[in-house]
Amino acid sequence: MTYLVTDFLTHGDLMNFTYILIAIAVIGIAVYLLSLSKRKTEQKKEEKHLEELPKAELLKPHHVEVKEEKPVPAPVVEAPKISFADRLKTGLSRSRQEVWGKLTGLFSGGLDDEKMESLEELLYGADIGTATVSELMKEVHKKAKEGNLTEESFKQFLFDFLKGKMGPIQENVDHSLYEFNEADRGKTKVIMIVGVNGAGKTTTIGKLATKLRSQGASVVVGACDTFRAAAVDQLQVWCDRAGATMIRAKEGSNPSGVGYDALQAALNQKADYCILDTAGRLHTKENLMDELAKSKNVLKKLDPTAPHQILLVIDAITGQNAMRQAEEFHKTLDLTGLIFTKCDGSSKAGSAVSIVEQLKLPIAYIGVGETAADLDVFKVDDYLKALLGM
């Protein structure tokens, strides 16, 4: 009897063990099938991602990559339905409304001491600079004593005053920055674009390359911001659209080395322009600014006169902080000009006045949007009329 019970229990244990093995096998098969399904899904996503990448990206080696420029028609920068002056006026609407719009009613009944203080406060809020405001108020006091200073006559006086500050400096702009001269074909002009992250360097370079290519110029772009892969990819898209040659390296490469290779490629191709992007640098970080100086100086090994232009891209939203940026970049690199971006939606576009006047640097371009047509030549009259609402 005891033997039969023991035998029964032994067979029962064996059956339970068998069921456990079957359960483990089923679970293992299920996990394998789920893993296989996940791998297939990831593979499809990767294939889709690769299809969306530029062909040059798929073949990117571990050294600097030179994407050869294929014969493509020059891009056409479509003219917008409204003039750039009108779009600039729309873009500067916040500056105009939040600052200059407060002039309404200020001149009725004459300018007494209280109104003079209000006017001075308004001018300081316009971000045109302390020194400029101080000089301007002296002139206003003289005008007020003469009488008949109305809102409109004050705007005209202000226009003439600010144009007198900016106009002579703006005459120093190098016209080859926006007008390609066929007589200079093959004489590579090197343009170095600098600025802090977020100012709009990458898109500005893309727009500039597009504009120059649309005039028939050959352009080589060096993606020297090797610390931001997204910025390099964005620049690649712009270059592909414009038909410009793109020089890039793997992420983290030496920025000055990429600039050197880009200029070498431009000289070999006898390109008309070599535009160099740079890593965004905080103007307060001395070691980072020194790296920019190195990127500038290494170009002289290939061309003692390079770079021919060093342009600082300034975000209009930063207001008077833009002045501090410009001072530090100018001290390190000896800037030749400025590009004023993001004027659409900013209430501090008046800072352009103080930067031009104090640093004696002209503004080459001004931007009011995302397309190539939204970057245009800076014209003092259009800017001041849009700013003051004239």
Side-chain angles (χ1 to χ4, degrees):
M1 183 67 177
T2 303
Y3 172 79
L4 289 174
V5 172
T6 304
D7 183 65
F8 174 77
L9 290 174
T10 302
H11 280 288
D13 292 341
L14 182 60
M15 290 178 66
N16 289 338
F17 183 72
T18 302
Y19 291 144
I20 292 173
L21 287 177
I22 293 173
I24 292 174
V26 171
I27 293 173
I29 293 172
V31 171
Y32 171 77
L33 291 175
L34 287 173
S35 177
L36 182 62
S37 175
K38 184 178 179 181
R39 284 201 300 269
K40 288 184 177 180
T41 301
E42 291 175 347
Q43 184 178 3
K44 288 181 179 179
K45 288 182 179 179
E46 181 66 17
E47 289 173 353
K48 182 178 179 182
H49 175 65
L50 291 175
E51 289 174 356
E52 294 173 348
L53 284 175
K55 292 182 179 179
E57 181 71 9
L58 301 179
L59 302 174
K60 185 174 70 175
H62 294 294
H63 53 79
V64 173
E65 173 187 337
V66 179
K67 180 188 173 189
E68 293 297 334
E69 181 175 322
K70 297 179 180 179
V72 293
V76 177
V77 180
E78 296 183 4
K81 295 180 180 179
I82 59 175
S83 67
F84 186 81
D86 288 335
R87 280 181 294 143
L88 181 60
K89 186 173 293 186
T90 301
L92 296 184
S93 59
R94 282 193 61 189
S95 289
R96 187 167 59 252
Q97 293 166 5
E98 295 182 18
V99 179
W100 307 108
K102 297 177 182 178
L103 286 172
T104 304
L106 194 61
F107 292 90
S108 59
L111 281 173
D112 54 25
D113 291 341
E114 184 177 350
K115 288 183 178 180
M116 278 290 189
E117 289 182 7
S118 297
L119 177 60
E120 186 174 8
E121 183 179 347
L122 183 151
L123 292 174
Y124 278 120
D127 282 286
I128 60 176
T130 304
T132 303
V133 172
S134 179
E135 185 178 350
L136 184 57
M137 285 306 298
K138 291 180 181 178
E139 295 298 322
V140 171
H141 279 288
K142 292 180 182 178
K143 288 286 182 181
K145 290 180 180 179
E146 297 174 3
N148 300 321
L149 190 60
T150 64
E151 179 181 338
E152 289 304 315
S153 64
F154 175 73
K155 281 187 177 181
Q156 185 60 52
F157 158 72
L158 193 57
F159 175 89
D160 294 337
F161 179 87
L162 296 179
K163 184 177 180 180
K165 294 290 183 182
M166 300 180 72
I169 300 169
Q170 284 300 130
E171 292 178 0
N172 298 325
V173 174
D174 182 355
H175 288 262
S176 67
L177 286 171
Y178 40 79
E179 292 178 1
F180 173 57
N181 188 342
E182 189 63 38
D184 294 328
R185 174 74 69 182
K187 301 175 183 178
T188 306
K189 175 176 285 294
V190 184
I191 304 172
M192 190 175 176
I193 307 293
V194 300
V196 301
N197 282 335
K201 295 190 309 299
T202 302
T203 53
T204 296
I205 291 171
K207 294 171 186 177
L208 183 56
T210 300
K211 286 181 173 294
L212 295 173
R213 284 285 296 129
S214 69
Q215 297 179 43
S218 57
V219 179
V220 170
V221 175
C224 305
D225 190 354
T226 59
F227 303 104
R228 294 196 305 149
V232 176
D233 290 339
Q234 182 184 20
L235 193 55
Q236 181 74 70
V237 173
W238 276 100
C239 288
D240 287 343
R241 290 174 181 170
T245 299
M246 172 82 162
I247 307 299
R248 62 185 298 166
K250 65 180 181 179
E251 188 175 355
S253 297
N254 187 343
S256 59
V258 181
Y260 182 93
D261 289 330
L263 179 53
Q264 183 67 74
L267 293 173
N268 291 343
Q269 296 177 21
K270 295 188 181 299
D272 303 311
Y273 291 90
C274 177
I275 308 176
L276 302 177
D277 192 7
T278 56
R281 294 299 190 225
L282 289 174
H283 55 290
T284 55
K285 301 294 184 180
E286 185 176 353
N287 60 323
L288 298 181
M289 295 297 286
D290 289 342
E291 180 64 33
L292 271 184
K294 177 183 175 183
S295 295
K296 170 190 173 182
N297 294 330
V298 75
L299 301 174
K300 298 185 182 301
K301 294 181 180 180
L302 295 172
D303 181 352
T305 64
H308 305 102
Q309 291 289 327
I310 306 176
L311 304 179
L312 173 65
V313 178
I314 294 179
D315 182 345
I317 298 173
T318 56
Q320 277 303 297
N321 187 46
M323 170 60 77
R324 290 187 286 274
Q325 290 179 25
E327 287 174 340
E328 293 302 319
F329 276 97
H330 192 34
K331 182 171 65 176
T332 301
L333 298 169
D334 194 17
L335 301 172
T336 60
L338 308 166
I339 298 178
F340 215 52
T341 64
K342 302 183 183 181
C343 289
D344 50 325
S346 171
S347 62
K348 300 179 179 295
S351 58
V353 176
S354 58
I355 295 173
V356 170
E357 200 275 328
Q358 290 187 40
L359 298 184
K360 311 303 180 186
L361 292 173
I363 298 176
Y365 281 96
I366 188 168
V368 294
E370 296 300 321
T371 70
D374 290 325
L375 182 73
D376 208 350
V377 177
F378 182 88
K379 298 176 181 177
V380 178
D381 285 13
D382 289 347
Y383 166 75
L384 291 177
K385 287 178 180 179
L387 188 67
L388 301 176
M390 298 178 66

